[in-house]
Amino acid sequence: MSSLSDNYFKVKEQIAEACRKAGRKPDSVVLIAVSKTHPVSAIEELYQLGHRDFGENRIKELCDKKATLNHWDIQWHLIGQLQTNKVKFLEPAFIVHSLDRLSLVEKLAQRFSNVRCLIEVNCSGEASKSGVAVEQFWDLVDKIAQKPQIQVLGLMTLAEHTNDEKRIRAAFATLRGLSEKLAGQKIFPTYANWLSMGMSHDFPWAIAEGATHVRIGTAIFGERLLPNTKAAENPT
Ligand SMILES: *Cc1c(COP(=O)(O)O)cnc(C)c1O
């Protein structure tokens, strides 16, 4: 076996283990393999192992890879920040995990009759982080609710880059709390209680806090080779 398939099955096993510990079914968590900066051949290898959910943080890279792999039934997830001037590259089959501001809501609603999104929330309160601030979350929800074109499936967050389990889990718990409240209010008919949270270094904690989707790159594909600018510097 290649190290890629080794890594893949190891991560799958760690997810199952975290589910068992949390008293959850192993298939209650979807693994999104974050392939950013890695070649299409790596995606192909996982696909041959039966994997179907892949995440990219840049729309251009996603579109390029999708064009190469167009004949395959991959579910693509856009997990990075999306600039409004790049919404034109988005395809309705993609799931957008990073809906975080009104200008993007409006642009998406203009362009699509149906687009599946998660609202990204900045649960850690770090100034450098993308995502809507917790204090502005309900305002944004109200605005999105006026655009039936936007089908909200759930919420997404990135935890702080720290080893402090308490702080990380607190951020995940905040997201879960918002999601439960949102579900209770029945604002979005499409709401599916998705909680997209957990990356290579913190996914077991995310699963303990209720993640339904974990986004894992490094633990599967290894270190990223190319610099991949994390987010658009000036989203509008
Ligand atoms: C890159 C990225 C991930 C995966 O990070 P790893 O630490 O490599 O697992 C998850 N979520 C987002 C939004 C990312 O940009």
Side-chain angles (χ1 to χ4, degrees):
M1 281 209 294
S2 75
S3 64
L4 180 55
S5 63
D6 277 351
N7 292 348
Y8 174 67
F9 287 116
K10 192 169 152 213
V11 166
K12 295 276 281 184
E13 181 45 40
Q14 288 168 335
I15 290 171
E17 176 62 23
C19 287
R20 274 192 293 275
K21 271 198 196 152
R24 303 179 54 192
K25 291 198 200 116
D27 61 358
S28 61
V29 175
V30 175
L31 168 59
I32 298 172
V34 178
S35 45
K36 63 189 185 198
T37 77
H38 295 286
V40 160
S41 59
I43 298 175
E44 284 178 314
E45 197 176 335
L46 286 198
Y47 186 92
Q48 300 299 353
L49 299 172
H51 197 76
R52 294 295 179 268
D53 285 272
F54 291 89
E56 291 283 337
N57 70 337
R58 297 168 77 194
I59 184 69
K60 181 72 171 53
E61 189 173 341
L62 196 168
C63 290
D64 288 349
K65 285 174 172 168
K66 195 209 165 214
T68 312
L69 300 168
N70 218 359
H71 48 300
W72 283 355
D73 60 327
I74 288 175
Q75 175 62 61
W76 292 102
H77 301 260
L78 181 70
I79 62 175
Q81 219 167 23
L82 179 60
Q83 287 173 280
T84 48
N85 65 359
K86 293 195 176 149
V87 165
K88 57 178 180 279
F89 299 118
L90 199 70
E91 297 177 29
F94 302 163
I95 297 174
V96 179
H97 288 231
S98 50
L99 183 57
D100 63 351
R101 61 198 190 281
L102 184 57
S103 58
L104 185 55
V105 171
E106 285 171 343
K107 201 73 182 183
L108 288 170
Q110 251 170 39
R111 187 165 173 94
F112 295 101
S113 53
N114 263 314
V115 56
R116 291 174 295 167
C117 297
L118 311 187
I119 304 173
E120 181 179 353
V121 187
N122 179 352
C123 292
S124 63
E126 290 165 281
S128 62
K129 276 265 157 67
S130 54
V132 61
V134 173
E135 300 75 35
Q136 278 142 34
F137 174 76
W138 294 103
D139 259 5
L140 186 63
V141 164
D142 282 345
K143 301 287 186 342
I144 300 171
Q146 294 164 26
K147 310 280 188 195
Q149 303 93 310
I150 298 186
Q151 308 197 336
V152 178
L153 302 178
L155 307 183
M156 182 271 226
T157 200
L158 277 110
E160 234 171 305
H161 209 87
T162 162
N163 293 321
D164 186 336
E165 175 174 357
K166 268 211 187 109
R167 267 169 48 197
I168 291 179
R169 289 186 63 152
F172 293 150
T174 297
L175 196 72
R176 188 189 60 223
L178 290 175
S179 181
E180 283 167 358
K181 203 165 160 199
L182 189 56
Q185 297 192 3
K186 301 198 191 322
I187 294 171
F188 300 118
T190 53
Y191 202 70
N193 303 301
W194 283 27
L195 284 176
S196 168
M197 57 190 198
M199 305 168 41
S200 291
H201 66 288
D202 59 15
F203 71 88
W205 295 331
I207 290 171
E209 295 295 341
T212 62
H213 292 69
V214 291
R215 309 176 308 267
I216 301 182
T218 312
I220 297 173
F221 296 102
E223 291 298 326
R224 287 181 276 279
L225 310 169
L226 307 162
N228 172 289
T229 40
K230 204 172 115 256
E233 272 97 58
N234 292 304
T236 51

Short mmCIF file of all heavy atoms in Angstrom, two decimals, residues 34 36 56-57 79-80 120 156 158 161 198-201 215-219 222 224 228 230, ligand 1:
data_model
loop_
_atom_site.label_atom_id
_atom_site.label_comp_id
_atom_site.label_asym_id
_atom_site.label_seq_id
_atom_site.Cartn_x
_atom_site.Cartn_y
_atom_site.Cartn_z
N VAL A 34 -9.23 17.08 2.12
CA VAL A 34 -8.85 18.41 1.65
C VAL A 34 -7.58 18.31 0.79
O VAL A 34 -6.48 18.16 1.30
CB VAL A 34 -8.65 19.38 2.82
CG1 VAL A 34 -8.20 20.75 2.32
CG2 VAL A 34 -9.94 19.52 3.63
N LYS A 36 -6.24 20.45 -1.40
CA LYS A 36 -5.60 21.70 -1.88
C LYS A 36 -4.08 21.55 -1.99
O LYS A 36 -3.46 20.97 -1.09
CB LYS A 36 -5.96 22.86 -0.96
CG LYS A 36 -5.46 22.72 0.46
CD LYS A 36 -6.04 23.81 1.36
CE LYS A 36 -5.44 23.73 2.75
NZ LYS A 36 -6.24 24.46 3.74
N GLU A 56 -11.58 21.83 -1.42
CA GLU A 56 -10.53 22.75 -1.88
C GLU A 56 -10.84 24.10 -1.28
O GLU A 56 -12.00 24.44 -1.07
CB GLU A 56 -10.55 22.85 -3.41
CG GLU A 56 -10.12 21.58 -4.13
CD GLU A 56 -8.60 21.36 -4.12
OE1 GLU A 56 -7.87 22.36 -3.96
OE2 GLU A 56 -8.17 20.21 -4.27
N ASN A 57 -9.80 24.90 -1.03
CA ASN A 57 -10.10 26.22 -0.45
C ASN A 57 -10.05 27.35 -1.48
O ASN A 57 -10.43 28.46 -1.16
CB ASN A 57 -9.22 26.52 0.76
CG ASN A 57 -7.78 26.75 0.40
OD1 ASN A 57 -7.33 26.29 -0.65
ND2 ASN A 57 -7.07 27.47 1.23
N ILE A 79 -14.20 25.10 0.69
CA ILE A 79 -14.09 25.34 2.13
C ILE A 79 -13.40 26.65 2.46
O ILE A 79 -13.39 27.07 3.61
CB ILE A 79 -13.35 24.16 2.83
CG1 ILE A 79 -11.92 24.03 2.28
CG2 ILE A 79 -14.12 22.86 2.64
CD1 ILE A 79 -11.10 22.98 3.00
N GLY A 80 -12.79 27.29 1.47
CA GLY A 80 -12.08 28.54 1.73
C GLY A 80 -12.95 29.75 1.39
O GLY A 80 -14.03 29.62 0.81
N GLU A 120 -20.38 30.10 7.73
CA GLU A 120 -19.12 30.00 8.48
C GLU A 120 -19.13 31.00 9.63
O GLU A 120 -19.36 32.19 9.43
CB GLU A 120 -17.92 30.28 7.56
CG GLU A 120 -16.60 30.15 8.33
CD GLU A 120 -15.37 30.39 7.46
OE1 GLU A 120 -15.50 30.54 6.24
OE2 GLU A 120 -14.27 30.44 8.05
N MET A 156 -20.29 26.00 9.75
CA MET A 156 -18.88 25.62 9.64
C MET A 156 -18.03 26.53 10.52
O MET A 156 -18.36 27.70 10.69
CB MET A 156 -18.46 25.75 8.18
CG MET A 156 -17.03 25.35 7.88
SD MET A 156 -15.83 26.69 8.04
CE MET A 156 -14.88 26.46 6.56
N LEU A 158 -13.63 27.15 11.93
CA LEU A 158 -12.23 26.75 12.09
C LEU A 158 -11.85 27.08 13.52
O LEU A 158 -12.03 28.22 13.95
CB LEU A 158 -11.34 27.59 11.18
CG LEU A 158 -11.19 27.17 9.73
CD1 LEU A 158 -11.88 28.18 8.84
CD2 LEU A 158 -9.73 27.10 9.38
N HIS A 161 -5.62 27.83 16.15
CA HIS A 161 -4.48 26.93 15.98
C HIS A 161 -3.68 26.85 17.27
O HIS A 161 -2.74 27.58 17.51
CB HIS A 161 -3.60 27.38 14.81
CG HIS A 161 -2.92 26.21 14.18
ND1 HIS A 161 -3.50 25.47 13.18
CD2 HIS A 161 -1.75 25.61 14.47
CE1 HIS A 161 -2.70 24.47 12.86
NE2 HIS A 161 -1.63 24.54 13.62
N GLY A 198 -13.39 20.58 12.47
CA GLY A 198 -12.37 19.58 12.73
C GLY A 198 -11.44 19.45 11.54
O GLY A 198 -11.89 19.29 10.40
N MET A 199 -10.13 19.59 11.81
CA MET A 199 -9.08 19.45 10.80
C MET A 199 -8.08 18.41 11.31
O MET A 199 -8.33 17.76 12.32
CB MET A 199 -8.42 20.81 10.56
CG MET A 199 -9.44 21.87 10.18
SD MET A 199 -8.93 23.61 10.17
CE MET A 199 -7.31 23.61 9.45
N SER A 200 -6.95 18.30 10.64
CA SER A 200 -6.01 17.24 11.01
C SER A 200 -5.67 17.21 12.50
O SER A 200 -5.59 16.15 13.10
CB SER A 200 -4.72 17.37 10.20
OG SER A 200 -4.96 17.08 8.85
N HIS A 201 -5.45 18.39 13.08
CA HIS A 201 -4.94 18.39 14.46
C HIS A 201 -6.04 18.36 15.52
O HIS A 201 -5.75 18.20 16.69
CB HIS A 201 -4.03 19.60 14.69
CG HIS A 201 -4.75 20.90 14.63
ND1 HIS A 201 -5.22 21.44 13.46
CD2 HIS A 201 -5.12 21.77 15.61
CE1 HIS A 201 -5.83 22.60 13.72
NE2 HIS A 201 -5.78 22.81 15.00
N ARG A 215 -12.88 18.14 7.93
CA ARG A 215 -12.13 18.55 6.73
C ARG A 215 -10.65 18.27 6.97
O ARG A 215 -9.99 19.00 7.72
CB ARG A 215 -12.35 20.05 6.46
CG ARG A 215 -13.82 20.48 6.43
CD ARG A 215 -13.92 22.00 6.26
NE ARG A 215 -13.11 22.72 7.23
CZ ARG A 215 -13.54 23.18 8.39
NH1 ARG A 215 -14.80 23.03 8.75
NH2 ARG A 215 -12.72 23.81 9.22
N ILE A 216 -10.14 17.22 6.37
CA ILE A 216 -8.80 16.77 6.72
C ILE A 216 -7.89 16.74 5.50
O ILE A 216 -8.19 16.09 4.50
CB ILE A 216 -8.87 15.38 7.40
CG1 ILE A 216 -9.75 15.50 8.66
CG2 ILE A 216 -7.47 14.89 7.75
CD1 ILE A 216 -9.88 14.24 9.45
N GLY A 217 -6.79 17.49 5.61
CA GLY A 217 -5.81 17.54 4.53
C GLY A 217 -4.53 16.84 4.89
O GLY A 217 -4.24 15.72 4.47
N THR A 218 -3.73 17.51 5.73
CA THR A 218 -2.37 17.06 6.04
C THR A 218 -2.30 15.61 6.51
O THR A 218 -1.39 14.87 6.10
CB THR A 218 -1.77 17.98 7.12
OG1 THR A 218 -2.00 19.34 6.73
CG2 THR A 218 -0.28 17.76 7.25
N ALA A 219 -3.21 15.20 7.36
CA ALA A 219 -3.13 13.84 7.92
C ALA A 219 -3.33 12.78 6.83
O ALA A 219 -2.93 11.63 7.01
CB ALA A 219 -4.17 13.66 9.03
N GLY A 222 -0.32 14.46 3.56
CA GLY A 222 1.00 14.93 3.98
C GLY A 222 1.07 16.45 3.92
O GLY A 222 0.08 17.12 3.62
N ARG A 224 1.61 20.17 2.79
CA ARG A 224 1.36 20.81 1.50
C ARG A 224 2.68 21.31 0.90
O ARG A 224 3.53 21.85 1.60
CB ARG A 224 0.37 21.95 1.66
CG ARG A 224 -1.04 21.43 1.89
CD ARG A 224 -2.04 22.53 2.04
NE ARG A 224 -2.12 23.05 3.40
CZ ARG A 224 -2.82 22.48 4.39
NH1 ARG A 224 -3.49 21.36 4.17
NH2 ARG A 224 -2.85 23.00 5.58
N ASN A 228 -0.21 27.94 -0.31
CA ASN A 228 -1.58 28.06 -0.80
C ASN A 228 -2.23 29.13 0.06
O ASN A 228 -2.59 28.89 1.18
CB ASN A 228 -2.28 26.71 -0.64
CG ASN A 228 -3.75 26.79 -0.95
OD1 ASN A 228 -4.52 27.37 -0.20
ND2 ASN A 228 -4.16 26.22 -2.05
N LYS A 230 -4.15 31.18 2.24
CA LYS A 230 -5.22 30.61 3.04
C LYS A 230 -6.58 31.20 2.69
O LYS A 230 -7.56 30.52 2.55
CB LYS A 230 -4.93 30.88 4.52
CG LYS A 230 -5.60 29.91 5.45
CD LYS A 230 -5.10 30.13 6.86
CE LYS A 230 -6.16 30.61 7.80
NZ LYS A 230 -6.13 31.99 8.15
C1 LIG B 1 -6.66 23.47 4.64
C2 LIG B 1 -7.95 23.47 5.34
C3 LIG B 1 -8.36 22.35 6.09
C4 LIG B 1 -7.48 21.12 6.29
O1 LIG B 1 -6.41 21.43 7.12
P1 LIG B 1 -5.36 20.30 7.61
O2 LIG B 1 -4.77 20.88 8.82
O3 LIG B 1 -4.40 20.12 6.50
O4 LIG B 1 -6.14 19.07 7.88
C5 LIG B 1 -9.61 22.39 6.68
N1 LIG B 1 -10.42 23.47 6.56
C6 LIG B 1 -10.06 24.56 5.84
C7 LIG B 1 -11.01 25.69 5.75
C8 LIG B 1 -8.83 24.59 5.22
O5 LIG B 1 -8.48 25.68 4.51
#
